[in-house]
Amino acid sequence: MISRKNASISKCIIHKVGNKHNNTKNALSEKEVHFDEASYELMLPFLLRPFGSVVQSYRFNHHADISLNEINTYSSQMFKEDDAFIETSKHIVKHLFEQSNSAQIKTGDVLIVMFEGIEFNEITTNALGIFKIENKVNFFQTYLENNSYDVLVQKGISSKKVDKGCLILNQSDTEGPIILSADNNNYDAQYWTNHFLNIKYADDANNHTQQYIELCKDFSEDILKISYGNQEQNTFLAKTIDFFKENETINVERFKDDIFEDDKHKSLFDDYKKNFEGEKDLVIRNQFDVAESVVNKEKKKIKTEIKLDTNIQIKLDIDAPDASAEYLERGYDDEKKMHYYKVFFNTEG
């Protein structure tokens, strides 16, 4: 994640990108945007806000040679040649246009922006931002005519969120330039991340932690919930998060010994892990460092609720992984021909 408290916009240009499948064409600007004070004060946080909470970073990718990655080449040129900004921004839009390989890809405004004063991991650097605005919102505009006010409806850009955006930092590590990406319209995620930017997650603790928690979430949904029920699923997820919180380094064998009491469950997990790696085309490391920020973010996404068809919900505390096994009992009532949960407690809150 970045800090934008000292950030500023040094260059900005707006183009429109079409879609070659529905014969809409690009419309390219010849001059940079010159903001007035009000629009600048609104635009700066609007563009950078998505990256304030981004935990994982990306690196450029290419099947043959990383130097052949188009956005890698264009961003590098912009950082090195100040007067190349306008022409290179046009090449970026043309490259984006070429990725519109289906009719569902939306046209929109493309903002190419150079930022100064971006803080990332205690380093201050400049950065190139590429943003695509796909969805316009209706708003009322009042106007004065013949000494009376009237109203009309216009379409414009909402200042609440960016549809798609990336931030390419002028800062590299051993894997290359550091990239942050945000996409609020996931129906075409391949188009933005894989085809246009052609980026992959960095090989770091953030990615390793994310992959393993995703594995555990999918295992709980596809195996535990179906075979053993919601209580077993939620207990497993709570124990998983607790294990990540209690350990700075994850060892997969120690994880399984700690989480699973039954060897059969370990075998189920091992088999699922192999299939997961094959489907995702990745290899999960047997040992890796924990990224606390990823754990905290993923913890917020996990729902530990048991929803019953009798309009009753049981919410389990993800921070108390042993509570479910100790104080919640599942059974079957032969007389009512229904399942039941028995909850033990001392006092009501």
Side-chain angles (χ1 to χ4, degrees):
M1 60 185 70
I2 65 162
S3 171
R4 54 183 171 89
K5 62 181 180 180
N6 296 318
S8 62
I9 296 173
S10 59
K11 291 177 179 292
C12 177
I13 192 166
I14 301 175
H15 305 290
K16 287 188 179 292
V17 64
N19 184 313
K20 59 186 177 183
H21 274 263
N22 55 28
N23 296 319
T24 53
K25 297 182 179 180
N26 298 332
L28 304 177
S29 298
E30 297 297 333
K31 295 181 180 180
E32 297 176 27
V33 175
H34 295 287
F35 295 102
D36 59 31
E37 184 177 354
S39 59
Y40 179 88
E41 292 299 324
L42 192 61
M43 183 66 74
L44 180 61
F46 166 65
L47 296 178
L48 292 180
R49 192 180 300 120
F51 310 108
S53 59
V54 168
V55 174
Q56 289 180 270
S57 63
Y58 294 83
R59 302 296 181 272
F60 285 119
N61 186 40
H62 196 275
H63 68 276
D65 189 329
I66 198 68
S67 64
L68 299 176
N69 181 299
E70 290 88 347
I71 302 302
N72 183 25
T73 300
Y74 296 144
S75 60
S76 178
Q77 185 176 5
M78 282 185 162
F79 288 134
K80 293 177 182 177
E81 302 174 28
D82 190 60
D83 58 357
F85 178 75
I86 293 177
E87 288 305 312
T88 307
S89 73
K90 295 178 184 179
H91 293 314
I92 290 174
V93 174
K94 291 174 183 177
H95 174 59
L96 180 61
F97 176 82
E98 290 302 319
Q99 311 316 310
S100 56
N101 294 320
S102 76
Q104 74 171 6
I105 301 298
K106 295 181 180 180
T107 61
D109 297 334
V110 180
L111 285 74
I112 314 291
V113 186
M114 292 296 295
F115 296 98
E116 306 289 338
I118 299 292
E119 296 179 25
F120 178 80
N121 288 347
E122 300 181 353
I123 296 173
T124 301
T125 185
N126 57 330
L128 170 67
I130 305 172
F131 306 89
K132 185 184 178 191
I133 309 299
E134 299 176 326
N135 298 306
K136 300 290 182 71
V137 297
N138 293 327
F139 65 92
F140 292 109
Q141 178 68 52
T142 58
Y143 63 96
L144 182 64
E145 186 175 27
N146 297 328
N147 296 321
S148 295
Y149 279 98
D150 209 337
V151 65
L152 57 83
V153 175
Q154 294 182 321
K155 280 188 174 291
I157 299 172
S158 169
S159 61
K160 291 183 178 180
K161 67 176 183 179
V162 172
D163 290 311
K164 288 176 168 58
C166 75
L167 201 62
I168 304 164
L169 305 184
N170 192 14
Q171 185 72 33
S172 300
D173 59 14
T174 55
E175 294 184 79
I178 298 166
I179 307 152
L180 306 177
S181 181
D183 188 352
N184 285 305
N185 296 332
N186 292 321
Y187 70 91
D188 57 359
Q190 297 291 317
Y191 152 75
W192 181 256
T193 305
N194 291 355
H195 300 155
F196 171 58
L197 296 174
N198 194 2
I199 53 178
K200 61 181 181 180
Y201 280 121
D203 185 22
D204 58 11
N206 289 325
N207 187 33
H208 303 151
T209 303
Q210 178 78 35
Q211 287 176 350
Y212 203 82
I213 293 179
E214 286 293 334
L215 163 65
C216 292
K217 286 165 61 177
D218 288 1
F219 173 75
S220 76
E221 185 72 23
D222 297 340
I223 304 298
L224 296 181
K225 181 179 179 179
I226 293 173
S227 301
Y228 301 98
N230 290 70
Q231 184 181 3
E232 189 77 21
Q233 177 194 20
N234 292 330
T235 299
F236 167 76
L237 289 173
K239 287 184 175 181
T240 296
I241 294 298
D242 188 62
F243 189 86
F244 272 78
K245 287 166 59 180
E246 294 295 324
N247 293 275
E248 295 182 356
T249 301
I250 299 298
N251 178 281
V252 172
E253 293 302 318
R254 190 156 57 85
F255 170 84
K256 291 188 295 183
D257 290 339
D258 189 271
I259 300 296
F260 300 116
E261 296 180 3
D262 194 330
D263 287 340
K264 181 176 68 173
H265 288 172
K266 293 181 184 179
S267 297
L268 285 172
F269 186 78
D270 286 337
D271 292 341
Y272 190 87
K273 178 174 173 288
K274 290 179 182 177
N275 292 331
F276 181 88
E277 290 174 317
E279 290 177 1
K280 303 287 186 179
D281 191 25
L282 56 84
V283 176
I284 293 177
R285 295 191 179 189
N286 290 323
Q287 185 163 309
F288 56 88
D289 293 334
V290 172
E292 184 180 356
S293 56
V294 174
V295 176
N296 291 334
K297 191 169 185 177
E298 289 303 309
K299 174 186 169 183
K300 295 176 182 177
K301 297 179 184 178
I302 295 175
K303 306 296 183 183
T304 54
E305 295 175 342
I306 301 175
K307 296 183 179 181
L308 308 178
D309 59 2
T310 51
N311 298 319
I312 294 174
Q313 295 183 22
I314 302 172
K315 184 175 177 61
L316 306 176
D317 188 346
I318 197 170
D319 291 319
D322 296 323
S324 173
E326 190 171 354
Y327 302 120
L328 190 65
E329 186 178 300
R330 191 177 192 273
Y332 185 81
D333 189 298
D334 291 321
E335 185 175 326
K336 289 189 175 183
K337 306 297 183 185
M338 296 175 71
H339 297 281
Y340 66 82
Y341 279 105
K342 185 187 291 185
V343 182
F344 297 91
F345 64 94
N346 292 311
T347 58
E348 295 186 30

